[in-house]
Amino acid sequence: MKHVLKRFFAAVALSVFLTMSLVLPAQAFDYITPMFTGALAYLALSGVGVPVAIAGSIALHAGVLAIALSPDTTAPTSINDAPLTVMLATKTELPNRPTGTGFANYTGAVFPSFQPVPPSSVANGATSNYTYPGDNFPLNHHDLPSVYQNWVNQNMCNGAVYTVNSHSETTTTWSANLAVALGACAAAPSYSNAGAAASGSIGYVCPPGYTASTTTCNVTTVTAVQKPNDGKKALVVNGANFTYDPQDSNDVSPIVPQVSGIGTPTITAQDNKGNLTSVTRASDGSYTITDTHANVDGLTSTRTTITLSPPDATTGIPTVTGQKQEQVNGVGTPAASAPATTAPPSSGTTDVSNLATHSDVSAVGTKVDSTNSKLDTLINGTGADVTLSTQSTAVDTAATAMQSQVTAIGTSGLDAHGVTYTWFPSIPTSTCVPLSATYAGRTVTIDWCSTVATMNTLIGYIFYLLTAWTLFNIFTARRET
Amino acid sequence: MPWLIALIANFASFVGLQIAKKTALAAAVIVASVALTVALAAAIQTLLATIVVSIPSAFTAAAYFIPYNTSACVAAVIGAKFARFVYDWNMKNLEMAASIN
């Protein structure tokens, strides 16, 4: 708006300036001429003033016009988690030296043996006599000699009760448990039934590897001595293969690692997480240990391979000869057995000729048909309380209403929606009259109206151009946000 | 499958209700916009009508220099500015109707 006002004021100012510049000198000449006609004749100045004044005015006005029109510029808990311990350093004693009562005299292993040395002798017990049926039958292990009680308590019979299944004058049959237990850890108990079943006895028998000598059992075969229960099952290298420790068979409910390959040169243990440990003994006595543990991502495993030399003949200690660590696919034995590579897809053809006749496939087909039927009901509205077609019509109706709302705005053109603006400024008008003034007793009249009319027409044209330019700018102006 | 039928139908119903709500909001916004603009125009013109102007008689001769088409030019400019205002206003109404969600 300021540009419009500026141009209007500039045009009005130009109008006044042009009128004053053109009309007054001309009128002054007209006024002066009758007064100084004679003098002008003398001075030969007639007609000189007008051309000079007009030429000067036009030059000045051209400069003004040029300015006016210039454009704008802007950890482990169960048997499955039991650790696997394999003692490969043959000089090292197996970690299960007996510590129970009566076995405190065990001493450390003497190389090259890795087994602890049992006591050279143990005390023999007295024969326990009992009277049948006067004694407390069924017999339990408390009736045994104290030393033998310890043996039974520590090794296999803790809390167990043994009974006489049958009894005759010559034969007494014990329950299977007692027979097996005692048979496993000692020689069969002696039992005498002389007489009319009135008395009996169980004689103390030395443990395996010991031989009775009156009241003492002396070691005769060290490798036959059985170590007492410690709850652990040891593995040793027996010849070329891995076996359970032959001197460690007395464990009651031992925690046995999930080991496969017993009796072969390779043993493999796996915990319940799928972690895998295997040990392989080569024919030259060297070992390869492979450990595969699942990574935290649950998708891959880390496989560590360690190779050991055969145990040194003097020290019994092997030497690490190599170590490798690699990433493998999957977790657990089957999945992690393959290296971290992707197998190419199979290009075989599957026979599907009998697939459609399978009962499961048929059942699936029936369900799909049912689903299709219900979807058809939903879409087409047949027999349904609430149908998609009904809702679709409602959506269409709502969308059409919204479209009409928007269209009404768009097609209204310059509809002002009742907004009007009728105020326009009042432009003063008047009719031109000649200028009249009295000077020195003489009335001077300057009739400038014809010139004012001419200039009015000229300035009116300039107004027209300014208005056209202003309207064009209004049309092309950037819309205010 | 009844749950699926109900789900799809309810979703369609939801869409329809959303569009209907949008339509109602657009209509309400435009009505409010018209009311505000009419009141503003009336207030401004009322203010202008209270202004009294006159030109001293000594300056009557100055009116000689005002071109004959001055009133027409002024009216054309004011009319064009008002038309542009209405255009901008309607474009704004379109934007409001389209942006309601």
Side-chain angles (χ1 to χ4, degrees):
Chain A
M1 195 65 187
K2 64 181 181 180
H3 300 298
V4 176
L5 293 176
K6 180 179 69 177
R7 286 162 187 158
F8 272 112
F9 282 124
V12 171
L14 177 63
S15 174
V16 175
F17 183 80
L18 285 174
T19 302
M20 298 301 291
S21 300
L22 294 175
V23 174
L24 291 183
Q27 291 299 321
F29 179 79
D30 291 342
Y31 170 71
I32 293 172
T33 299
M35 295 175 60
F36 305 102
T37 301
L40 289 174
Y42 291 117
L43 296 176
L45 294 177
S46 177
V48 175
V50 174
V52 171
I54 292 177
S57 297
I58 289 175
L60 181 58
H61 301 158
V64 173
L65 287 172
I67 294 173
L69 296 177
S70 63
D72 294 332
T73 58
T74 48
T77 57
S78 69
I79 190 171
N80 291 327
D81 293 325
L84 172 66
T85 301
V86 180
M87 304 303 296
L88 298 176
T90 56
K91 192 176 182 179
T92 304
E93 178 183 306
L94 286 176
N96 59 342
R97 184 190 302 180
T99 57
T101 302
F103 297 88
N105 293 328
Y106 264 71
T107 57
V110 178
F111 183 74
S113 174
F114 48 83
Q115 298 284 13
V117 179
S120 59
S121 64
V122 294
N124 197 350
T127 299
S128 177
N129 297 317
Y130 63 90
T131 299
Y132 178 78
D135 274 352
N136 183 25
F137 271 81
L139 178 67
N140 61 46
H141 68 280
H142 294 100
D143 295 304
L144 299 175
S146 60
V147 172
Y148 211 94
Q149 285 179 25
N150 290 333
W151 171 263
V152 172
N153 281 331
Q154 294 179 26
N155 290 276
M156 54 189 60
C157 305
N158 194 18
V161 176
Y162 303 95
T163 61
V164 173
N165 290 337
S166 63
H167 175 73
S168 68
E169 293 296 323
T170 59
T171 304
T172 296
T173 303
W174 296 85
S175 65
N177 285 342
L178 179 61
V180 170
L182 297 182
C185 62
S190 65
Y191 173 75
S192 65
N193 192 28
S199 64
S201 65
I202 296 178
Y204 177 72
V205 179
C206 292
Y210 290 87
T211 301
S213 175
T214 314
T215 59
T216 303
C217 293
N218 298 321
V219 170
T220 54
T221 307
V222 173
T223 56
V225 175
Q226 295 294 307
K227 290 174 285 191
N229 171 37
D230 62 355
K232 301 175 183 177
K233 201 72 171 178
L235 287 167
V236 297
V237 176
N238 190 353
N241 301 323
F242 288 94
T243 64
Y244 289 115
D245 184 358
Q247 293 182 244
D248 193 25
S249 60
N250 286 334
D251 288 337
V252 177
S253 301
I255 298 175
V256 182
Q258 302 298 300
V259 178
S260 60
I262 300 298
T264 71
T266 299
I267 56 172
T268 302
Q270 184 177 16
D271 64 15
N272 60 352
K273 298 182 179 65
N275 298 324
L276 190 72
T277 303
S278 67
V279 183
T280 299
R281 183 185 186 279
S283 58
D284 63 353
S286 62
Y287 295 90
T288 301
I289 303 173
T290 303
D291 180 81
T292 305
H293 267 68
N295 294 328
V296 293
D297 61 5
L299 300 175
T300 61
S301 300
T302 298
R303 184 162 65 194
T304 303
T305 303
I306 302 174
T307 56
L308 302 172
S309 68
D312 184 83
T314 303
T315 65
I317 300 175
T319 303
V320 176
T321 57
Q323 183 173 356
K324 180 175 70 175
Q325 195 168 62
E326 59 187 337
Q327 301 296 315
V328 295
N329 283 329
V331 177
T333 307
S337 58
T341 58
T342 302
S346 171
S347 59
T349 302
T350 302
D351 181 10
V352 296
S353 58
N354 296 322
L355 186 60
T357 61
H358 193 277
S359 59
D360 291 345
V361 176
S362 177
V364 171
T366 301
K367 291 184 178 179
V368 170
D369 289 342
S370 175
T371 302
N372 282 336
S373 175
K374 290 175 179 177
L375 284 175
D376 186 61
T377 299
L378 171 66
I379 296 171
N380 298 321
T382 305
D385 294 335
V386 180
T387 67
L388 190 59
S389 61
T390 302
Q391 299 301 340
S392 175
T393 302
V395 171
D396 288 343
T397 301
T400 301
M402 184 62 193
Q403 183 182 15
S404 299
Q405 188 77 34
V406 175
T407 303
I409 299 173
T411 57
S412 63
L414 292 179
D415 182 7
H417 308 290
V419 178
T420 59
Y421 192 85
T422 58
W423 183 87
F424 294 93
S426 176
I427 307 298
T429 59
S430 63
T431 302
C432 180
V433 296
L435 290 175
S436 179
T438 301
Y439 178 75
R442 179 176 175 169
T443 300
V444 179
T445 300
I446 302 175
D447 186 7
W448 61 345
C449 289
S450 59
T451 304
V452 168
T454 300
M455 294 308 300
N456 218 324
T457 301
L458 176 61
I459 300 305
Y461 182 73
I462 295 173
F463 265 41
Y464 161 73
L465 294 177
L466 291 173
T467 301
W469 177 247
T470 300
L471 295 185
F472 177 74
N473 283 338
I474 291 174
F475 173 71
T476 59
R478 185 170 56 189
R479 188 164 63 92
E480 296 181 359
T481 57
Chain B
M1 294 304 290
W3 63 271
L4 180 60
I5 296 173
L7 176 65
I8 297 176
N10 288 338
F11 177 73
S13 177
F14 171 76
V15 172
L17 291 175
Q18 283 295 104
I19 297 176
K21 182 189 74 175
K22 188 174 180 179
T23 304
L25 284 176
V29 166
I30 292 172
V31 167
S33 176
V34 170
L36 290 172
T37 307
V38 168
L40 176 65
I44 290 178
Q45 291 183 96
T46 300
L47 292 174
L48 286 171
T50 60
I51 300 174
V52 177
V53 294
S54 62
I55 299 177
S57 58
F59 292 89
T60 301
Y64 301 161
F65 304 104
I66 298 177
Y68 62 94
N69 58 355
T70 299
S71 294
C73 290
V74 171
V77 171
I78 292 178
K81 293 289 287 185
F82 181 71
R84 180 58 195 257
F85 163 77
V86 172
Y87 164 78
D88 290 345
W89 182 39
N90 282 328
M91 291 297 288
K92 189 66 179 176
N93 287 336
L94 275 176
E95 290 179 357
M96 288 192 296
S99 63
I100 293 174
N101 50 34

